[in-house]
Amino acid sequence: MDDNLHIQRFHLPPSPSHFESLIESRNVPAILVGCVKDWRALSEWNPYVGGLDNLQECAGSCIVEAMLTRTAPVFYGDLRSHDRVPIPFSTFIQICKQRLLEKSQGNVVSSELNSNRMTGPDLKKDCLPFEDDSKRLYLAQVPILDVINEERAQLEPLRKDIQTPAFLEKKKLASINLWMNSALSRSSTHYDPHHNVLCIVSGRKQVILWPPSATPSLYPMHIYGEASNHSSVSLEKPDYSLYPRAKYSRKSSQTVVLRAGDALFIPEGWFHQVDSDELTIAVNFWWQSHMMSSVSDHMDAYYLRRILRRLMDREMNEVLRVPCSLAEMDETKSHEPDVLGIKGMDQGVQCLSQAFEGGDLKEKELREETFSHELELCSARALHGLMTLVHDHVSVSDQTGALQSSSTNGSADGEESMNFTSLNSLENDQVAISIWNLEPCVLQKVLLTMANNFPRTLEALILHLLSPIGAEVLTRKFDQMDQRNTAEDQKRFYEVFYSSFDDQFAVMDAILNRKESFARQNIVLSTQVAGNSNRSRSNLCGITTKALLTWLSSSIYLVFKSVLDKYVGVNLNGPNPGT
């Protein structure tokens, strides 16, 4: 897990500025130990020291909406798994008293004790309509404060026993809610659309948390469903054949335990699943994050496109990472031992010089001594590999004639005449595989060396050998270089790279046109193979290279499908199994 996502623990309540700058701005959960230990509620509501009587006296007449589940002790957010039933708060309090009595007497309830320790008509069985279902009841998200609809604040009388933490005093709270259970309970895995501070008044809660980046392994429900913020995966018996990625979800999770007086900051979007001990009481505060409150409606479409592109790029990186293992296949090629098995730098340089003897004057002017000092062995091998690929595919005689007009034929108008590797036979695209297997820093050195010493060979590589998939891979490598380089280094690299071509704009057009061609051809092809391409990524390691590259050829469509499935909960192949 990313070190930046580790949950921090604070033993002193943060100031408002400290909370905003060091905790909230990180969008990572934080444990605030003893943060609300001074609340009056900790003594007034404690079930083990008369707290239930105090709650009865303060708010017993209030009508609250309880969750009645069909899957106790698990409480799922999906409406199909539970009902919301209005009951007097006093009824739930009496259920808690009954549970407390059963615990103290080892589940043997004496009618004499009932009459002595519990008073009032609510003790009679006919006045406890949910006694047989008491373990199926849970007071979840019962409003103490509701800013939007004050009338929904069903337990407003309890407000006097709690205080808004000092670090939240400047926040525009959306609501304050009570969470209370009589028996052991488990909430389903879900995220909230607000920032959240969960405060424990009595009992104990164990919270498992996942960052939003773990969304694919949690299988969120349909984004247009009423429980879209909940995971589709069952807590009791997860079906890994239906949800294979869920098998690895715990790898990205963190677990915290909260006791009375503790608080937990849960940022918006963080999935969490909560286990509560018997007779646990908690209060939470929700407020809208600054980021969400500052996004204007007219910007939604822009941010949607930006975020969708980022997710698709990330997914495409996963797709393109697979060919890294294809070097094993390349060992069968006749020229490969020469590429990876150079005995010495001088032999490699000599081989290059001989391979392009008769080329243009610039390439003959290369000084081998300087070249040997400029490139380390890894970069020299990579350079030799790419040079050899150009030599194998373009004969010296043909190259001379073709390169004379390469600047004019490299434009978009000349694209159709170029003999690109077919997307259906990517197993022959050694250029794309070779480029992808290079680290960005190594590729940058190789391209700069070619630009300075082998400009005509570089032109042949880019304009004549670079296929659509090769252009996709090359531009992704450019992106990786940009992330590692300073702005000045980026500028210098592109100036040297493009200035080596007679018509640098034609080269730019050629690369971009082929990149777009890759996307277009994949979309067309993917419609033909989509019915056979719904295979789990976990099976990719065992398939043949040819099957793998055929699968890769439909990547754009599949990437979009995968993003919708993993992050939005929409399956284009049919109904989502979680619905």
Side-chain angles (χ1 to χ4, degrees), residues 200-375:
I200 310 303
V201 175
S202 178
R204 174 183 173 275
K205 285 182 182 285
Q206 174 183 281
V207 186
I208 304 175
L209 299 117
W210 293 265
S213 55
T215 296
S217 66
L218 298 174
Y219 292 87
M221 293 187 177
H222 281 299
I223 196 169
Y224 45 79
E226 55 83 23
S228 60
N229 61 322
H230 284 256
S231 169
S232 300
V233 183
S234 168
L235 290 180
E236 309 101 307
K237 296 180 180 179
D239 187 345
Y240 295 129
S241 65
L242 202 58
Y243 305 106
R245 295 188 301 268
K247 187 182 303 183
Y248 311 102
S249 64
R250 293 304 291 265
K251 292 183 179 180
S252 56
S253 70
Q254 299 177 74
T255 302
V256 303
V257 175
L258 306 173
R259 294 177 174 81
D262 294 340
L264 174 66
F265 168 58
I266 307 176
E268 63 178 353
W270 274 72
F271 283 87
H272 48 284
Q273 185 269 311
V274 184
D275 287 290
S276 301
D277 285 357
E278 296 173 320
L279 300 168
T280 293
I281 304 175
V283 171
N284 87 295
F285 297 79
W286 270 328
W287 73 98
Q288 193 172 43
S289 69
H290 174 72
M291 186 188 74
M292 293 305 300
S293 60
S294 61
V295 174
S296 302
D297 290 348
H298 70 275
M299 296 296 292
D300 286 351
Y302 165 72
Y303 288 123
L304 172 64
R305 290 178 63 86
R306 285 293 302 272
I307 293 172
L308 185 60
R309 176 59 188 267
R310 286 177 61 176
L311 291 175
M312 290 185 66
D313 283 347
R314 193 174 304 154
E315 193 69 16
M316 179 63 83
N317 285 337
E318 291 296 318
V319 170
L320 292 177
R321 183 173 292 124
V322 178
C324 290
S325 62
L326 297 182
E328 298 177 0
M329 177 199 72
D330 300 340
E331 293 178 359
T332 61
K333 301 295 182 180
S334 59
H335 66 268
E336 196 62 14
D338 294 333
V339 177
L340 298 179
I342 301 176
K343 294 181 179 179
M345 190 78 69
D346 294 337
Q347 292 181 1
V349 176
Q350 184 178 11
C351 180
L352 293 178
S353 300
Q354 294 174 353
F356 289 93
E357 187 175 357
D360 69 344
L361 184 59
K362 288 184 180 180
E363 294 182 15
K364 287 183 177 180
E365 292 175 350
L366 173 64
R367 294 183 305 194
E368 297 179 4
E369 182 178 354
T370 303
F371 169 74
S372 298
H373 289 293
E374 287 179 350
L375 284 180

Side-chain angles (χ1 to χ4, degrees), residues 337-515:
D338 294 333
V339 177
L340 298 179
I342 301 176
K343 294 181 179 179
M345 190 78 69
D346 294 337
Q347 292 181 1
V349 176
Q350 184 178 11
C351 180
L352 293 178
S353 300
Q354 294 174 353
F356 289 93
E357 187 175 357
D360 69 344
L361 184 59
K362 288 184 180 180
E363 294 182 15
K364 287 183 177 180
E365 292 175 350
L366 173 64
R367 294 183 305 194
E368 297 179 4
E369 182 178 354
T370 303
F371 169 74
S372 298
H373 289 293
E374 287 179 350
L375 284 180
E376 60 270 20
L377 182 60
C378 178
S379 300
R381 285 176 173 174
L383 174 63
H384 181 222
L386 287 176
M387 298 279 284
T388 303
L389 288 174
V390 176
H391 180 261
D392 286 349
H393 288 79
V394 182
S395 66
V396 175
S397 57
D398 291 340
Q399 177 184 346
T400 303
L403 292 178
Q404 289 177 352
S405 59
S406 60
S407 296
T408 56
N409 290 342
S411 63
D413 294 336
E415 288 293 311
E416 293 182 1
S417 64
M418 307 193 75
N419 184 23
F420 293 131
T421 301
S422 169
L423 286 176
N424 289 316
S425 57
L426 281 174
E427 64 267 26
N428 297 320
D429 196 337
Q430 295 298 315
V431 172
I433 294 174
S434 297
I435 293 175
W436 185 253
N437 283 334
L438 295 179
E439 289 293 325
C441 58
V442 174
L443 179 62
Q444 180 172 319
K445 292 177 182 178
V446 168
L447 293 178
L448 287 175
T449 302
M450 294 183 74
N452 288 322
N453 301 289
F454 301 98
R456 301 286 74 81
T457 304
L458 178 61
E459 195 165 84
L461 175 69
I462 299 300
L463 293 179
H464 293 269
L465 268 73
L466 193 68
S467 67
I469 181 62
E472 174 70 23
V473 169
L474 180 63
T475 54
R476 287 183 174 276
K477 288 295 181 179
F478 283 167
D479 290 340
Q480 294 175 13
M481 293 178 195
D482 292 345
Q483 293 172 8
R484 303 185 182 195
N485 290 338
T486 64
E488 183 178 349
D489 289 339
Q490 291 177 28
K491 180 180 178 182
R492 177 182 174 276
F493 168 74
Y494 290 118
E495 284 180 350
V496 173
F497 177 78
Y498 284 111
S499 65
S500 66
F501 301 97
D502 291 339
D503 188 343
Q504 56 184 282
F505 295 106
V507 172
M508 292 181 186
D509 286 344
I511 294 174
L512 294 177
N513 287 339
R514 290 171 207 176
K515 178 182 174 70

